[in-house]
Each structure stands twice: as structure tokens, then as C-alpha cells.
Amino acid sequence: MNITNPNAFWLLFLLIIPILIHLFQFRRYKKLKFSNVAFLKAINQEQKNTRKLKHLLILFSRLLFIFFFVMCIAKPFWPSDASTAEVNLIILDKSASNLSLAEGKANSVLEENMNLINRLQDQFPENLQIIDESGNALQAYDNIEINARSSEMVLDRLLEKHGNTGRVLILSDFQKQVIDRNKEVFSDTTRQFVIMPPYKESPGNIIWDSVWISGNELNTTLDESLILQLNTKGNPGQVNISLQENNTLIGNRQINDTENSSDTIGFWLNSNINQREEQLTFTSDDAIVTFDNTFYFKKENTGKIKVLLLEETQKDQNIRSLFEDNDVFDFENENINNYSFQRLDDFDVAIVKMGENFNSFKADALQAYAGMGKTLVLIPESDFNATELLARFGLNNVRKLQQNAKVKLQNPDIQNPFFRNIFKKTERNMDMPEAQAVMNWQSGQSLLSFINGYPFLSRTGKAQNIYTFSASIGLENSNFARHGLFLPVFYKIAFSGKSENTVTYHFLNEEIISFTNNDIPAATVLKLEKDNQQLIPDQRLQGGKISLILPEQEIMAGFYALKDAKTDTMYTYLAFNYPKAESENSFYTASDLEELFSGSKNVKVLEEYDVSTLENFLLESKNGFPLWKYFLILALLSLLAEVLIIRLIK
């Protein structure tokens, strides 16, 4: 047994006090006169012996009390094997999952672990070196923020950098990857570790898997369905999922999935066609794993589709009725002979009625327009003759047909993806429109055909974005404009060249993010802005494609505005979320780690997650096994013994 404070033994001189009390206080006598003491001699002798024994026992208990109390102050300890491996390195896990609540605590695991470090630094200032999972040095009472990109701890690399002596204290939430990725390090008996897990039961969690838009493919309404795919890890119980737009609640769902299950839920959206971007968030009310309770994403609306109708003479009321005064379309009708073709780029769809004045200049302009991936619709008038120009649009062997009778169209092939969601089924004797063909060809994908095999509507072009009719759709040549196929066919064509509404989001562990935005000039210096935080990442802009290299530890989850660093012009928003790996990993509990390291003498698992447990262990590591508390108990028992002797022995 060793003594921490040997100077306390000077207090042993206090042992003389109860001895003096015994010698003087208990030897005072009182005289009592009796007329005849003959009968009291035997009783007097017995009482005298009892009092002597009682006084000796009281003296002994008082001496023991003083001795044990002095020993308590001297702080004796038994030297232990732990004293040869004092804790001198603390590794603090700052990965995102440590923002979850510690079990039974009001603070997150990261906050609780930092509080532990602060207390330990105050008590052992000369012994402790503190680093994070990336090897960066830390100080007590630092304002610690998570490392949102990092999701792993490589102990071998950290120990090589900071030395292998002593014991290493690991403060983490102990996701399974923390232990599993370092099994070889923990099995090395030349290294010693102390771990203190914050969970006695592994908490359940909701994991955001993916989000996408599911809507009417014809887009004839503004309603869309936003689909959320989520998974459960463990058993989080009954959880509410809410969808918000700019802190405004749009919808709410309640799920009660079984352990480790998957679920898909939908929310109806009433899209604002004039709002190009919508900032949306999914929120859950998980009780413990709270760091990833919000999922940020941006919905990019396609906006109105710009449709241009070019014709030579009269206004086509049938086509105008489809697109004019429609919330989904911006429609213009121009004379093709007076039109400035430089404006073609402003439109998503160009419908061209080709007449006798259709020439090579117009064909070249329309060919360039289609080459940009825009949707082009060609409709011949009865006086169209320049069939040789159609070879530029992918039609071969085009020949003009002589005036002939109207021919009925065949039933459409509902297996063709073009007709998806237009027909559920077709009848054999379905009433089809009829038309008088102006020309014929032998190429392209035929979408609608006459019963004689001639094409009525074909699709060509590298991007399959050129649609050509073989007949005029005027009422004098065809009743197609009066048929039920007219509206869905033209709407399908109009939306075929327009990208669907999409949702976009990024994860914080992505080093480089790339996206396209044609509104940003090539020489622009971009910045990311969120609240009072402004960052200028490394960037590359080329042809509308933008690549940003994210700062390693400065980006946090949420929405960041992408702006011009000089003019502060706002371009778009970027949505960032915590890495999936941080949410998907389950945790090792205290009992799990006890069982896992039951045969490993170099790994000490502290079962209780509190500062006193850790302080006691560090003191034992520093000084050996403390005995002062046991001497304090013995001192108190000595006092109790004195009280019992006085009361029970008469």
C-alpha cells in the first residue's frame, strides 16, 4: 500500500486526546454514604468491572476513529497494473451522428463528451492531449463544431502520428463503423484503450433514402406527387413525417414501421408554374437520433413551355385553342415569311406549317433549331412542294402525292411509349380520324399510320425531337383536329422536349458538386451564402456547367444561396444534407462492447456514461486503486460503535 499524502500522519498526535480523556474523566468518583454496605460488596465489584470494560471499548473506538480519519486524509492506494498505462491521449469523434442526444441526457453526445473533456482538463492539465478523429489538435473549452464530411476514424493513422504510449480514451457515439474499421488496432495488445459508450440501448432512426416527382405525364394539371423513400434502422416507433415549404406546412404523415423496414409515402403538391425553384424540407420527430431529422431538397420547376406556331396565311384556330390562354404554355403565332429566325432559341416547341414558300433558308434555320434539342413539328399544307428539303430532317425518299381521297388511320400501337397514359386499351373497331396525305416517305419512327401503311405522323432526328405529319390538319383535308387524339398527341409532343420537374440535393461528403445553370456568365466568381456565413469555393464554369469544390469542414446542412461574389446577384439555391453513412450505421451499446472485448485486457469498457466514472478510472490509472473511501467508512463505523457501546453497555 502506498500513501498519496504522507504529511497527514502528523495528525496522529490527536490520538493522545481520547487517552487523556480516559485517564482523567472516567477516574473521578462520587462519595455516597450507606449505613450498611455489607450487602453491596458483590454488586459493587461486578459494576466496577463492567464500567472498566465499557470505558476501554469507548477509548478503543475513539482511537480507531482518529486513526481511520487520518488514513483517509493521507489517501492510501494499492498500486495496480493500470498505473503503468496512464491515459494521456483523448480522441474526440466529431462526425455528424454525434449530434444525436446522449441516452438520458438533455445534450448531444458531442456536447456531453466536450463537457467531460473540460472537466478532465481542469483536473489533469499536464497529462492530457486532445485530438479529433481527423488528427487535429483540440483544446478544452473550444467551440467545437462537427466535421460534416468525415464519417470514419482511422486509429492506426492517428496513433502513429501522436504516439503509442499510454492509454487512449475514445469519446464517441460508437457507431459500429468506429469499432469495426479498427478491429486490428484494438486486437493489438501493445496498445491500450478506454471507451465509454453513451448508449445502453441502440436507438432507432429514420433514414432518408431518396425523393422524386411523380406526376401526370401529359402535365395537363399542375398537381404532382412528391414521393419519399425512407428506411428505418432499429425500431424508432411511431414517427411523424412533415413536408414544409419555407417553414409552411404542406402535409403530414404518420408511420409506425417495424424494425429495419422500408416505406414509401407520397405528398400532393400544387406546383407554382411561375416559381422556378421551391425550397422544401422533410422533417421527422425522432426522439434520440436527432441530427438528421431534417432533409433539405430543392424542387426545380420547368416553368411554362414556350410554343411558337409559324404559318403563311390564315390563323390555325385548332392549334391556337390547344396552347392559347393556358397556364402551362406561353404561346405565340407568327407569319413564317416575316419571322426573324434568330428568335427561335427563345421557344421550347416550334410548330411549322410548310406552304409553297418554304425554302432552303427556312429549312436551315429550323434544322439548326432542332439540332439544339428543341422540339420541331412540321405540318405540310396542300400546296407544299419542296419535299427534297425534308431530307435535312431525317426523312428519306420523300415524294409528293397527287390529290386523292381521304384515308382512315390505323389504331395506334398502345405499346409504343409515346402513347403511354393516353390509352388504357384500344378496341379493334375504334373510330379513327381520316386525312388526305400530301406526301409519303420511307424512314423514321412511325407513330400514326394510314390503313394503307403510309405514315401519318413520324418521329426523326438524333434526339428523336422532329415530328412530321404527312397531311395537312386543316378541316378541309382531315378531321384529325376534331378527334379525341388531337389534344393528347400535341400535348405529348409539346412536353417531350421539356425536362420533367425534378428535385435536387447534395450530401456534405461530396467533394465536388456539378450542375448546369445557363443564367450564370462564364467569368462569374460565385459564393455560397447561408445566414451570416459566406464562402467562396474553388470553382469551374464552362458552357453553363458549374463545378464547385466544397470546403472540407465549413459547409453545414441546409440551404445555401449561390450568388455573384461581386454584384450579389442571386442565381439559385443548393441543398446540403448529412452523409447517408452517418444515419445508416447502428450503434454498439455498453453491453455489446463488454461482450465484444470480454477477452481483451487492453480494452477497458466503462459501463456508466458520466464524469465521475471517468474521473475515478483516470485516478486509478494515475495513482492505483484508491483506499481513502474505505478508511472513511471505517471511521464512520467507529463513531457508530462508540454510540452503541454507550447506549447498550450499562
Side-chain angles (χ1 to χ4, degrees), residues 54 58 637-649:
K54 178 178 180 180
I58 292 174
L637 290 175
S638 299
L639 283 179
L640 178 62
E642 180 182 353
V643 173
L644 294 176
I645 291 170
I646 293 174
R647 285 183 171 271
L648 299 179
I649 299 179

Side-chain angles (χ1 to χ4, degrees), residues 384-613:
F384 172 70
N385 294 306
T387 55
E388 71 281 358
L389 297 177
L390 297 182
R392 305 182 186 187
F393 303 102
L395 296 175
N396 300 325
N397 301 321
V398 183
R399 61 187 180 90
K400 180 71 181 289
L401 297 178
Q402 300 298 324
Q403 294 295 328
N404 50 30
K406 295 179 181 178
V407 180
K408 197 171 185 179
L409 271 63
Q410 297 181 19
N411 286 4
D413 180 10
I414 62 173
Q415 301 302 321
N416 191 316
F418 181 84
F419 294 103
R420 185 186 305 159
N421 291 343
I422 294 180
F423 302 103
K424 291 184 178 179
K425 63 178 181 178
T426 58
E427 302 293 338
R428 180 173 298 181
N429 58 350
M430 180 179 177
D431 183 24
M432 293 295 293
E434 57 184 14
Q436 187 179 30
V438 174
M439 54 188 180
N440 183 33
W441 55 79
Q442 297 178 354
S443 60
Q445 179 189 5
S446 181
L447 301 177
L448 289 172
S449 302
F450 292 101
I451 57 175
N452 59 11
Y454 286 4
F456 174 73
L457 173 62
S458 291
R459 180 164 58 184
T460 57
K462 291 183 179 180
Q464 294 291 291
N465 59 324
I466 302 175
Y467 298 84
T468 307
F469 286 88
S470 65
S472 173
I473 60 174
L475 296 180
E476 67 278 6
N477 301 102
S478 171
N479 64 348
F480 178 65
R482 300 296 191 201
H483 194 272
L485 277 175
F486 181 67
L487 182 145
V489 165
F490 266 91
Y491 277 3
K492 195 76 174 185
I493 292 173
F495 282 100
S496 64
K498 193 68 173 178
S499 60
E500 296 181 358
N501 292 344
T502 58
V503 294
T504 59
Y505 48 85
H506 305 279
F507 293 100
L508 292 171
N509 59 342
E510 299 178 32
E511 296 183 3
I512 301 176
I513 62 171
S514 299
F515 55 94
T516 301
N517 191 316
N518 295 317
D519 297 332
I520 303 178
T524 305
V525 178
L526 298 172
K527 69 176 180 179
L528 294 172
E529 185 175 288
K530 179 178 183 286
D531 300 329
N532 296 325
Q533 183 186 24
Q534 293 188 4
L535 304 170
I536 299 180
D538 294 336
Q539 53 200 265
R540 177 181 297 175
L541 283 73
Q542 185 175 6
K545 185 176 181 180
I546 301 155
S547 297
L548 301 178
I549 301 176
L550 300 181
E552 184 173 355
Q553 295 185 4
E554 299 181 17
I555 298 289
M556 304 299 291
F559 291 105
Y560 279 80
L562 187 66
K563 295 184 176 181
D564 189 317
K566 296 180 179 179
T567 65
D568 222 34
T569 302
M570 171 70 185
Y571 292 115
T572 186
Y573 282 97
L574 299 178
F576 293 97
N577 297 283
Y578 292 113
K580 281 188 178 182
E582 289 298 297
S583 301
E584 291 176 349
N585 283 278
S586 54
F587 301 87
Y588 276 119
T589 63
S591 58
D592 293 335
L593 293 174
E594 280 280 1
E595 181 179 355
L596 183 63
F597 295 114
S598 59
S600 303
K601 294 184 178 180
N602 64 316
V603 180
K604 174 64 177 178
V605 180
L606 303 181
E607 295 185 5
E608 295 299 326
Y609 183 71
D610 57 65
V611 67
S612 60
T613 301

Side-chain angles (χ1 to χ4, degrees), residues 329-346:
F329 303 101
D330 273 337
F331 178 75
E332 288 189 23
N333 190 184
E334 301 287 347
N335 189 307
I336 191 172
N337 296 323
N338 302 323
Y339 188 70
S340 176
F341 284 91
Q342 289 85 352
R343 291 188 54 221
L344 271 178
D345 295 348
D346 297 335

